[in-house]
PDB file of all heavy atoms in Angstrom:
ATOM      1  N   GLN W 224     119.913 219.146 193.040  1.00 98.00           N
ATOM      2  CA  GLN W 224     121.046 218.215 193.175  1.00 98.00           C
ATOM      3  C   GLN W 224     120.753 216.973 192.337  1.00 98.00           C
ATOM      4  O   GLN W 224     120.161 216.012 192.825  1.00 98.00           O
ATOM      5  CB  GLN W 224     121.241 217.821 194.637  1.00 98.00           C
ATOM      6  CG  GLN W 224     121.563 218.975 195.563  1.00 98.00           C
ATOM      7  CD  GLN W 224     121.809 218.467 196.975  1.00 98.00           C
ATOM      8  OE1 GLN W 224     122.779 217.801 197.258  1.00 98.00           O
ATOM      9  NE2 GLN W 224     120.902 218.783 197.876  1.00 98.00           N
ATOM     10  N   GLU W 225     121.193 217.028 191.097  1.00 97.00           N
ATOM     11  CA  GLU W 225     120.867 215.961 190.149  1.00 97.00           C
ATOM     12  C   GLU W 225     121.411 214.598 190.593  1.00 97.00           C
ATOM     13  O   GLU W 225     120.727 213.580 190.494  1.00 97.00           O
ATOM     14  CB  GLU W 225     121.452 216.339 188.788  1.00 97.00           C
ATOM     15  CG  GLU W 225     121.033 215.429 187.676  1.00 97.00           C
ATOM     16  CD  GLU W 225     121.564 215.881 186.330  1.00 97.00           C
ATOM     17  OE1 GLU W 225     122.576 216.608 186.298  1.00 97.00           O
ATOM     18  OE2 GLU W 225     120.964 215.510 185.328  1.00 97.00           O
ATOM     19  N   LYS W 226     122.667 214.597 191.075  1.00 97.00           N
ATOM     20  CA  LYS W 226     123.287 213.321 191.470  1.00 97.00           C
ATOM     21  C   LYS W 226     122.534 212.682 192.633  1.00 97.00           C
ATOM     22  O   LYS W 226     122.316 211.472 192.657  1.00 97.00           O
ATOM     23  CB  LYS W 226     124.746 213.542 191.883  1.00 97.00           C
ATOM     24  CG  LYS W 226     125.686 213.410 190.727  1.00 97.00           C
ATOM     25  CD  LYS W 226     127.101 213.196 191.245  1.00 97.00           C
ATOM     26  CE  LYS W 226     128.017 212.947 190.076  1.00 97.00           C
ATOM     27  NZ  LYS W 226     129.343 213.435 190.308  1.00 97.00           N
ATOM     28  N   LEU W 227     122.161 213.508 193.606  1.00 98.00           N
ATOM     29  CA  LEU W 227     121.421 212.980 194.753  1.00 98.00           C
ATOM     30  C   LEU W 227     120.065 212.439 194.283  1.00 98.00           C
ATOM     31  O   LEU W 227     119.630 211.360 194.693  1.00 98.00           O
ATOM     32  CB  LEU W 227     121.223 214.068 195.822  1.00 98.00           C
ATOM     33  CG  LEU W 227     120.441 213.640 197.068  1.00 98.00           C
ATOM     34  CD1 LEU W 227     121.173 212.539 197.830  1.00 98.00           C
ATOM     35  CD2 LEU W 227     120.182 214.830 197.999  1.00 98.00           C
ATOM     36  N   ALA W 228     119.426 213.196 193.405  1.00 98.00           N
ATOM     37  CA  ALA W 228     118.094 212.780 192.921  1.00 98.00           C
ATOM     38  C   ALA W 228     118.167 211.406 192.267  1.00 98.00           C
ATOM     39  O   ALA W 228     117.384 210.506 192.605  1.00 98.00           O
ATOM     40  CB  ALA W 228     117.542 213.805 191.933  1.00 98.00           C
ATOM     41  N   THR W 229     119.121 211.210 191.348  1.00 97.00           N
ATOM     42  CA  THR W 229     119.158 209.915 190.641  1.00 97.00           C
ATOM     43  C   THR W 229     119.623 208.794 191.564  1.00 97.00           C
ATOM     44  O   THR W 229     119.161 207.670 191.440  1.00 97.00           O
ATOM     45  CB  THR W 229     120.032 209.981 189.374  1.00 97.00           C
ATOM     46  OG1 THR W 229     121.307 210.513 189.715  1.00 97.00           O
ATOM     47  CG2 THR W 229     119.395 210.829 188.305  1.00 97.00           C
ATOM     48  N   ALA W 230     120.498 209.122 192.525  1.00 97.00           N
ATOM     49  CA  ALA W 230     120.942 208.075 193.462  1.00 97.00           C
ATOM     50  C   ALA W 230     119.774 207.597 194.328  1.00 97.00           C
ATOM     51  O   ALA W 230     119.767 206.463 194.803  1.00 97.00           O
ATOM     52  CB  ALA W 230     122.068 208.612 194.346  1.00 97.00           C
ATOM     53  N   MET W 231     118.785 208.469 194.521  1.00 98.00           N
ATOM     54  CA  MET W 231     117.664 208.128 195.397  1.00 98.00           C
ATOM     55  C   MET W 231     116.488 207.490 194.658  1.00 98.00           C
ATOM     56  O   MET W 231     115.478 207.149 195.257  1.00 98.00           O
ATOM     57  CB  MET W 231     117.175 209.401 196.122  1.00 98.00           C
ATOM     58  CG  MET W 231     118.160 209.960 197.110  1.00 98.00           C
ATOM     59  SD  MET W 231     118.388 208.874 198.547  1.00 98.00           S
ATOM     60  CE  MET W 231     119.986 208.192 198.263  1.00 98.00           C
ATOM     61  N   MET W 232     116.601 207.365 193.337  1.00 98.00           N
ATOM     62  CA  MET W 232     115.485 206.784 192.580  1.00 98.00           C
ATOM     63  C   MET W 232     115.540 205.262 192.699  1.00 98.00           C
ATOM     64  O   MET W 232     115.869 204.550 191.765  1.00 98.00           O
ATOM     65  CB  MET W 232     115.532 207.256 191.124  1.00 98.00           C
ATOM     66  CG  MET W 232     115.155 208.740 191.027  1.00 98.00           C
ATOM     67  SD  MET W 232     115.568 209.504 189.471  1.00 98.00           S
ATOM     68  CE  MET W 232     114.232 208.953 188.442  1.00 98.00           C
TER      69      MET W 232
END
Side-chain angles (χ1 to χ4, degrees):
Q224 299 183 69
E225 188 177 23
K226 270 198 175 148
L227 179 63
T229 52
M231 293 292 107
M232 289 165 80

